[in-house]
């Protein structure tokens, strides 16, 4: 039994498996970018936020917040995409609980997007006001 466990452990820690995980990661990101309209919109907002950060010379801490928020929003949108795909895989019928799963995943993205917007306003608005 112990020998089987050691063999299983060894197979999960190979360099080939590690490198393959990056391949799957990029395939997932590519799928999301080609199929999810919202992730493109979020990507545009991310680029605009980074450019505004450069223009307004935001602090290091503010840059950390912006980059962290971009990562969280994009990652959560991909989780939403995965949940939608899983629900669609399980059932093609319109089922109330399938709707709940999709709506809750979408709601989670909505919540973090609103928080990101509020924090973006808190970071950039004082700098915009200072221009006038």
């Amino acid at each position: 039994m112990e020998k089987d466990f050691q063999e299983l452990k060894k197979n999960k820690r190979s360099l080939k498996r590690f490198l393959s995980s990056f391949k799957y990661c990029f395939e997932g990101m590519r799928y999301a970018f080609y199929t999810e309209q919202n992730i493109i919109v979020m990507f545009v907002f991310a680029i605009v936020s980074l450019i505004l950060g450069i223009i307004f010379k935001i602090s290091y801490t503010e840059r950390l917040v912006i980059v962290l928020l971009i990562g969280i929003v994009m990652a959560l949108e991909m989780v939403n995409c995965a949940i939608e795909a899983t629900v669609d895989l399980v059932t093609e019928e319109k089922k109330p609980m399938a709707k709940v799963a999709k709506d809750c995943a979408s709601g989670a993205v909505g919540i973090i997007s609103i928080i990101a917007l509020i924090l973006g306003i808190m970071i950039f608005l004082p700098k915009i006001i200072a221009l006038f």
Side-chain angles (χ1 to χ4, degrees), residues 32-50 69-70 73-74 77 109 113 116-117:
F33 274 88
Y34 280 110
T35 62
E36 297 296 319
Q37 177 181 349
N38 289 345
I39 208 159
I40 299 297
V41 172
M42 292 172 188
F43 185 73
V44 169
F45 275 109
I47 297 299
V48 168
S49 298
L50 293 172
L69 286 169
I70 289 169
V73 169
M74 299 292 261
E77 181 60 39
V109 175
S113 296
L117 177 65

Side-chain angles (χ1 to χ4, degrees), residues 1-123:
M1 178 77 169
E2 181 66 28
K3 188 175 183 181
D4 292 338
F5 179 70
Q6 292 298 329
E7 188 63 32
L8 206 82
K9 217 165 121 178
K10 181 181 175 188
N11 290 339
K12 287 195 170 217
R13 293 188 179 175
S14 71
L15 179 61
K16 182 179 178 183
R17 184 178 169 101
F18 177 72
L19 295 175
S20 291
S21 69
F22 285 101
K23 179 183 140 204
Y24 301 137
C25 166
F26 291 118
E27 285 177 4
M29 287 190 285
R30 186 178 69 213
Y31 175 83
F33 274 88
Y34 280 110
T35 62
E36 297 296 319
Q37 177 181 349
N38 289 345
I39 208 159
I40 299 297
V41 172
M42 292 172 188
F43 185 73
V44 169
F45 275 109
I47 297 299
V48 168
S49 298
L50 293 172
I51 291 170
L52 285 174
I54 293 168
I55 291 170
F56 289 117
K57 297 181 173 95
I58 62 175
S59 72
Y60 181 75
T61 304
E62 291 168 330
R63 277 182 282 163
L64 287 176
V65 170
I66 296 292
V67 170
L68 183 61
L69 286 169
I70 289 169
I72 292 170
V73 169
M74 299 292 261
L76 199 51
E77 181 60 39
M78 291 189 66
V79 169
N80 179 42
C81 179
I83 289 171
E84 288 178 355
T86 303
V87 168
D88 291 345
L89 180 67
V90 171
T91 181
E92 292 181 10
E93 300 172 31
K94 299 263 184 198
K95 292 185 176 179
M97 294 310 291
K99 181 179 180 347
V100 168
K102 288 182 170 189
D103 290 350
C104 286
S106 180
V109 175
I111 288 170
I112 196 63
S113 296
I114 290 168
I115 290 170
L117 177 65
I118 291 168
L119 289 172
I121 290 169
M122 291 171 71
I123 290 171

